[in-house]
């Protein structure tokens, strides 16, 4: 089946630094990647949609200058949290359509802790 | 915005019991998907239903899509501790592969 590899799985960073999260589609081409944020015991909240070769589309209330998304190739999308603050601590997950199975395949998530 | 209401929010049962999770909306969805998520992991697709009235079975899990394609249910028979997890329903379209609308999730805990 379609696999999306997400790295890192966990990261701890200091306030004010930037963190990059990568999502790679291993056996298929992901022209679209969705980026979610999830707080403990809550559902997924869509942050933005990245499309290969074009600008990402951000959901209302998500700062595009703080959460930089790049989708430079058909197999790689990245999310960079810039100037991180403790309130950015969360679980970030990427997802791509898996058309063969009429579903979406998700990365394993990145637990970001900003100290 | 199409909203998906999922209930209950939390379910704790003993091993061997049955359970049902519901997902309702006032809007029509072209497809409805069910995912299970374990702590520290991304959601894993269980099933996608696309036809009104459709019933799909996955071992002890039975999924139904309402005739009007506005609601769905997940029924687990003889639950096992391995069924513990966060169950999420998500509505979407199979013809556009746009963003999914997720329900709030149901945390299921099955104790031995």
């Amino acid at each position: 089946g379609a696999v999306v590899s997400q790295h890192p799985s966990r990261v701890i960073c200091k306030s004010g630094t930037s963190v990059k999260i990568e999502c790679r589609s291993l056996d298929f081409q992901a022209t679209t990647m969705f980026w979610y944020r999830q707080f403990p015991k809550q559902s997924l909240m869509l942050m933005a949609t990245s499309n290969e070769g074009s600008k990402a589309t951000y959901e209302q209330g998500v700062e595009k200058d703080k959460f930089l998304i790049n989708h430079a190739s058909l197999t790689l999308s990245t999310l960079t949290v810039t100037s991180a603050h403790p309130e950015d601590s969360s679980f970030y997950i990427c997802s791509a359509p898996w058309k063969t199975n009429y579903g979406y395949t998700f990365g394993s998530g990145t637990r970001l802790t900003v100290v | 915005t199409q909203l998906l209401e999922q209930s209950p929010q939390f379910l704790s049962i003993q091993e061997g019991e049955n359970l049902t999770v519901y997902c309702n909306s006032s809007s029509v969805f072209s497809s409805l998907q069910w995912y299970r998520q374990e702590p520290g992991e991304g959601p894993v697709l269980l099933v996608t239903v696309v036809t009104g009235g459709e019933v799909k079975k996955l071992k002890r899990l039975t999924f139904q899509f309402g005739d009007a394609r506005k609601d769905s249910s997940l029924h687990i028979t003889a639950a096992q501790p391995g069924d513990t997890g966060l169950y999420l329903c998500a509505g979407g379209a199979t013809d556009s592969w746009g963003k999914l609308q997720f329900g709030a999730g149901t945390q299921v805990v099955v104790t031995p």
Side-chain angles (χ1 to χ4, degrees):
Chain A
V3 175
V4 171
S5 176
Q6 183 171 347
H7 293 280
S9 58
R10 289 177 177 271
V11 59
I12 300 173
C13 71
K14 292 183 178 180
S15 288
T17 61
S18 296
V19 173
K20 180 184 283 188
I21 301 170
E22 292 188 349
C23 278
R24 293 180 183 275
S25 56
L26 298 187
D27 48 3
F28 70 105
Q29 293 183 333
T31 54
T32 301
M33 192 75 75
F34 299 96
W35 287 92
Y36 295 88
R37 183 172 180 175
Q38 186 177 33
F39 291 104
K41 298 185 179 179
Q42 292 188 22
S43 188
L44 282 71
M45 182 178 71
L46 181 66
M47 298 174 65
T49 304
S50 73
N51 295 289
E52 187 270 334
S54 63
K55 289 184 179 180
T57 304
Y58 290 81
E59 296 299 302
Q60 191 172 10
V62 178
E63 299 176 57
K64 61 181 181 181
D65 293 331
K66 179 168 185 61
F67 298 99
L68 299 179
I69 289 175
N70 186 280
H71 198 143
S73 75
L74 288 171
T75 58
L76 176 63
S77 177
T78 62
L79 165 67
T80 301
V81 182
T82 63
S83 187
H85 290 284
E87 56 264 33
D88 298 325
S89 298
S90 190
F91 193 56
Y92 293 87
I93 315 174
C94 59
S95 173
W98 179 12
K99 299 179 181 181
T100 304
N101 213 34
Y102 291 108
Y104 292 71
T105 186
F106 286 79
S108 55
T110 297
R111 170 70 60 192
L112 171 63
T113 303
V114 185
V115 297
Chain B
T1 303
Q2 298 171 304
L3 294 176
L4 272 172
E5 294 183 357
Q6 195 171 337
S7 62
Q9 286 188 320
F10 183 79
L11 205 51
S12 180
I13 61 172
Q14 297 278 348
E15 181 176 4
E17 294 181 339
N18 302 332
L19 68 97
T20 303
V21 179
Y22 300 93
C23 190
N24 297 294
S25 175
S26 58
S27 303
V28 175
F29 287 98
S30 299
S31 72
L32 203 135
Q33 299 155 36
W34 285 93
Y35 294 85
R36 182 170 70 204
Q37 184 182 22
E38 299 191 17
E41 298 288 332
V44 175
L45 179 68
L46 296 174
V47 78
T48 300
V49 285
V50 297
T51 305
E54 183 175 6
V55 177
K56 280 192 175 180
K57 290 192 175 184
L58 187 67
K59 295 184 181 178
R60 294 176 294 100
L61 278 61
T62 302
F63 304 86
Q64 283 191 301
F65 200 14
D67 290 340
R69 289 184 291 141
K70 292 182 178 181
D71 54 87
S72 180
S73 65
L74 156 62
H75 183 78
I76 301 179
T77 304
Q80 299 176 0
D83 296 324
T84 294
L86 179 67
Y87 289 82
L88 297 158
C89 65
T94 54
D95 56 349
S96 65
W97 298 106
K99 53 189 179 183
L100 290 175
Q101 181 66 47
F102 275 91
T106 297
Q107 181 63 51
V108 172
V109 176
V110 183
T111 54

